[in-house]
Amino acid sequence: MRMANNNPLKIAVASGKGGTGKTTIATSFALSIINDISESLLFLDCDVEAPNAHLFLKPQLTEEKPVEILIPEVNESLCTHCGECAKVCQFQAIAVLGNKTLVFPQLCHGCGSCTMICPANAIQEIPKSIGVLQKGTAGEIKFARGVMDIGEPMAVPIIRQLKKWVAPLEPQITIIDSPPGTSCPVVESIRGSDFLILVTEPTPFGFHDLKLAHQVAKDLQIPAGVIINRENGAFSELEDYCKEENLPILMRVPFRRNIAEGIAKGRNLIEILPEMSASFQNIYHQITTLVK
Amino acid sequence: MKQLVILSGKGGTGKTSITAAFANLAKNGNPPINAILADADVDAANLELVTRPKRLESHEFIGGEIAVIDPNRCHACGICEQVCRFDAVIPPDSSQAVYRIDPIACDGCAACVYQCPEYAITMQPQKAGNWYHSLSLYGDLYHADLIPAQENSGKLVTVVKQNGRLRALDTGAQLLIVDGPPGIGCPVISAVAGADLGLIVTEPTPAGSHDMERALQTIQHFRIPALVVINKADLNREKTAEIQNYCKEKQVEVLGEVPYDPLISEGMKQGLDIVAYHSTSPASQAIKAIWTKVLERLSLLGGAS
């Protein structure tokens, strides 16, 4: 069955706790619905610190673009060491010591404030690489991801530039694989999504972090649903919470050693349990009705 | 005083489960090690769920500041929007005649504050979370909750660690055990700073080993000696062998393998680490052997300081 949709959805997958199965679910979801939709499908790996979706989708990466931020470079022959730049910098990334102005590139957020404020026009901005964006295809799925350079602290600009880079030219459904946690990189990844799939596991760790991730969804006013992964008997607190919060449980994936072993070998869920494919298609239908 | 940081790159490989077991072994092992615990995963702090802490102190954490535009002073010139590189300035629309700041998008750089010709923009501090000093089953625990969707988790990690460190120095503790966050970015870099030893907990999956390599490179980038533990090692023997070979090639010691043990999550449901829940289970025994080696590598055995 082919579905038409005038308002192609952006669906993000997050969890709070790491390792609950975000990437497994997101990639299996993409592979399940690709033959069931009329729009094109874009898969966006926003976990730029630990990008793993390519391990399951095995895309051919054909395009690459560096992610750069602009950092200040001080022309000492023009600099009067007045210290205005250090005064406006909120991140202690530039300092004046005697008659030398020092820049600490790792601390710089690339905001340009020092350059704009400098009364001697002694600062020019130079690009500094903090990661790379890559694009390609995995079968019919369009794929893009960001990869942060080792030792760089800031994931957010990479995610922001990744999302701009792939800004859709044609109607397409987007699946976003978000990083773990609940802070700024997660917010940047899921902002603007129409729906958030929260992948959890029925353990105290999984449940604790699910509530935090759900709070992010509420703050951003993104409707959400839950997939319970590795379900092994009832975990009543989780069930009660979903009920109280009107959080639909979209799917339950059982806890079985053979699934864990299959995933350990790099297989996705629908290779291990082909019948899950229909469930993922159902979830897609359910989401289209939930966001209306 | 030594600092041990537990990392993984990929989330969910078992960092916190192993950290909690280490904390138990520090307190109750032979010889006992006087250790302070710090949970540096402030986005999703879980160490408290298996160490039963009683909260002794609670403190507000003020993170960064964000820009706020005074609507009475804004003349809607739009300079703030031009200078903002974080798409955080919302232009006037039918609901408001002046510019506004999107608090979630604002990076706190203050560029707009200094460029606004009407001085209409100020920086306002944001409460980003709380941090706590607690008494856990295994001694002092420093931990925190970041308010969901807040920034500056790296700064909060630093606050948690600093306080743990000061406590360790005050009490003459031998070791600070830091349970690190996943990833390799800002909070990880804060967690790693000043460590004597980094222990990477990985799992034999494609994602686990891929991210272990990135975590390893990050630790080595900061010139901190690194060791590896392979958790759930029997889930994929082939991949475990690959990780062993990779580490050998990179001259990184693999301290041991922990078998896949469902008792770990059973214990977690009771609020206990695996050693407390089932001290002779296969995972407990493996972790005990690894702990002894960690102490050796930190020179905390045999009377050395």
Side-chain angles (χ1 to χ4, degrees):
Chain A
M1 180 186 51
R2 293 220 157 225
M3 294 174 273
N5 193 335
N6 295 327
N7 180 21
L9 293 173
K10 278 202 183 86
I11 301 167
V13 182
S15 68
K17 173 170 164 26
T20 60
K22 273 183 306 298
T23 304
T24 304
I25 296 287
T27 54
S28 302
F29 186 43
L31 291 165
S32 298
I33 66 168
I34 183 66
N35 293 319
D36 198 39
I37 51 175
S38 54
E39 301 89 342
S40 59
L41 177 66
L42 170 68
F43 190 100
L44 216 48
D45 189 351
C46 285
D47 189 358
V48 302
E49 296 180 44
N52 290 326
H54 67 289
L55 298 170
F56 294 96
L57 293 176
K58 303 181 178 71
Q60 299 278 341
L61 297 172
T62 48
E63 259 183 84
E64 192 167 293
K65 183 182 169 226
V67 182
E68 291 166 340
I69 60 168
L70 292 170
I71 66 164
E73 185 179 63
V74 179
N75 181 340
E76 282 291 343
S77 64
L78 295 175
C79 179
T80 63
H81 309 105
C82 69
E84 281 296 309
C85 52
K87 210 168 88 190
V88 301
C89 179
Q90 304 291 299
F91 311 107
Q92 288 81 47
I94 191 163
V96 180
L97 293 176
N99 57 359
K100 183 101 186 100
T101 302
L102 299 171
V103 175
F104 303 96
Q106 303 282 359
L107 299 176
C108 177
H109 285 214
C111 70
S113 196
C114 56
T115 311
M116 291 181 255
I117 210 80
C118 176
N121 284 323
I123 303 179
Q124 63 159 345
E125 296 190 287
I126 53 167
K128 169 183 177 258
S129 168
I130 59 170
V132 66
L133 306 180
Q134 295 169 327
K135 225 191 262 194
T137 52
E140 282 185 60
I141 301 172
K142 295 183 198 167
F143 178 91
R145 67 169 187 165
V147 183
M148 184 159 102
D149 288 346
I150 300 292
E152 285 297 330
M154 289 190 297
V156 171
I158 302 172
I159 300 166
R160 189 182 296 126
Q161 290 193 27
L162 174 65
K163 288 173 90 174
K164 278 194 180 158
W165 195 44
V166 298
L169 302 169
E170 56 183 296
Q172 60 187 356
I173 294 162
T174 308
I175 296 176
I176 294 171
D177 191 7
S178 132
T182 57
S183 62
C184 29
V186 177
V187 172
E188 192 63 37
S189 300
I190 70 178
R191 268 174 87 193
S193 295
D194 301 295
F195 193 83
L196 184 65
I197 296 176
L198 294 163
V199 182
T200 189
E201 54 183 35
T203 64
F205 289 5
F207 177 52
H208 176 265
D209 300 346
L210 168 76
K211 288 185 280 185
L212 299 173
H214 183 211
Q215 187 58 49
V216 178
K218 289 198 275 190
D219 289 350
L220 296 175
Q221 299 181 318
I222 302 173
V226 171
I227 291 183
I228 303 178
N229 195 11
R230 304 189 196 115
E231 183 165 59
N232 182 18
F235 189 73
S236 56
E237 287 167 83
L238 172 60
E239 306 282 336
D240 294 346
Y241 177 81
C242 291
K243 217 173 272 169
E244 273 161 38
E245 294 282 332
N246 275 324
L247 204 50
I249 295 174
L250 304 168
M251 185 192 260
R252 298 165 188 271
V253 183
F255 176 89
R256 279 193 221 144
R257 193 179 164 105
N258 72 319
I259 300 179
E261 284 176 351
I263 288 174
K265 293 199 172 98
R267 295 200 196 111
N268 61 62
L269 261 183
I270 54 171
E271 283 173 304
I272 307 165
L273 297 170
E275 67 271 22
M276 301 286 298
S277 182
S279 315
F280 278 115
Q281 289 167 13
N282 278 335
I283 291 180
Y284 178 72
H285 285 282
Q286 214 180 326
I287 291 172
T288 55
T289 58
L290 284 170
V291 297
K292 260 174 201 161
Chain B
M1 198 265 299
K2 298 288 172 82
Q3 256 189 66
L4 168 70
V5 61
I6 323 279
L7 294 177
S8 67
K10 178 176 175 340
T13 60
K15 276 184 302 295
T16 302
S17 294
I18 287 179
T19 303
F22 280 178
N24 185 338
L25 293 167
K27 174 134 201 262
N28 302 314
N30 185 19
I33 300 293
N34 187 353
I36 307 280
L37 306 173
D39 189 346
D41 188 0
V42 299
D43 279 29
N46 289 335
L47 194 53
E48 63 181 292
L49 301 176
V50 281
T51 54
R52 302 189 178 177
K54 277 199 201 89
R55 207 165 277 177
L56 304 176
E57 297 167 47
S58 176
H59 304 267
E60 273 197 2
F61 169 69
I62 304 299
E65 297 182 320
I66 60 165
V68 175
I69 300 178
D70 179 350
N72 298 317
R73 300 185 80 158
C74 176
H75 288 189
C77 68
I79 288 177
C80 50
E81 191 188 11
Q82 286 162 30
V83 303
C84 179
R85 293 184 180 174
F86 305 96
D87 300 328
V89 181
I90 305 168
D93 57 26
S94 53
S95 72
Q96 190 161 354
V98 294
Y99 283 78
R100 280 175 294 164
I101 302 288
D102 174 353
I104 288 176
C106 179
D107 185 68
C109 73
C112 58
V113 172
Y114 293 101
Q115 299 304 320
C116 175
E118 306 295 334
Y119 305 100
I121 311 178
T122 50
M123 295 303 285
Q124 297 191 357
Q126 295 292 301
K127 186 188 165 186
N130 291 296
W131 67 269
Y132 316 105
H133 172 206
S134 299
L135 187 61
S136 78
L137 284 178
Y138 310 125
D140 290 294
L141 167 67
Y142 288 82
H143 52 134
D145 292 322
L146 187 78
I147 296 171
Q150 279 291 332
E151 295 203 28
N152 281 303
S153 64
K155 255 188 180 171
L156 183 52
V157 168
T158 303
V159 168
V160 166
K161 261 183 56 184
Q162 289 290 15
N163 282 284
R165 217 182 115 72
L166 289 174
R167 180 76 182 169
L169 294 172
D170 284 352
T171 57
Q174 295 154 281
L175 180 62
L176 177 67
I177 304 177
V178 180
D179 186 12
I184 61 167
C186 130
V188 172
I189 292 171
S190 300
V192 165
D196 297 287
L197 188 63
L199 184 77
I200 299 176
V201 178
T202 187
E203 60 181 28
T205 65
S209 69
H210 175 262
D211 298 344
M212 172 198 75
E213 291 173 24
R214 286 172 67 75
L216 200 53
Q217 289 164 13
T218 305
I219 294 184
Q220 290 174 338
H221 180 90
F222 294 100
R223 298 173 199 283
I224 290 162
L227 301 170
V228 166
V229 166
I230 308 175
N231 194 14
K232 311 173 201 171
D234 51 330
L235 275 187
N236 183 348
R237 277 282 154 215
E238 244 169 74
K239 197 81 201 173
T240 295
E242 255 176 55
I243 294 172
Q244 288 276 10
N245 286 336
Y246 175 88
C247 291
K248 197 179 236 176
E249 226 170 76
K250 301 281 168 190
Q251 296 178 312
V252 174
E253 186 185 4
V254 177
L255 276 193
E257 298 178 0
V258 179
Y260 179 74
D261 190 344
L263 289 173
I264 292 181
S265 57
E266 290 307 309
M268 189 201 290
K269 286 181 186 170
Q270 311 291 323
L272 292 171
D273 63 274
I274 183 64
V275 175
Y277 183 66
H278 199 302
S279 74
T280 56
S281 79
S284 286
Q285 294 188 358
I287 293 171
K288 283 180 193 172
I290 290 164
W291 173 244
T292 305
K293 287 191 191 169
V294 168
L295 294 182
E296 281 169 14
R297 301 304 176 269
L298 285 167
S299 311
L300 287 173
L301 282 186
S305 71

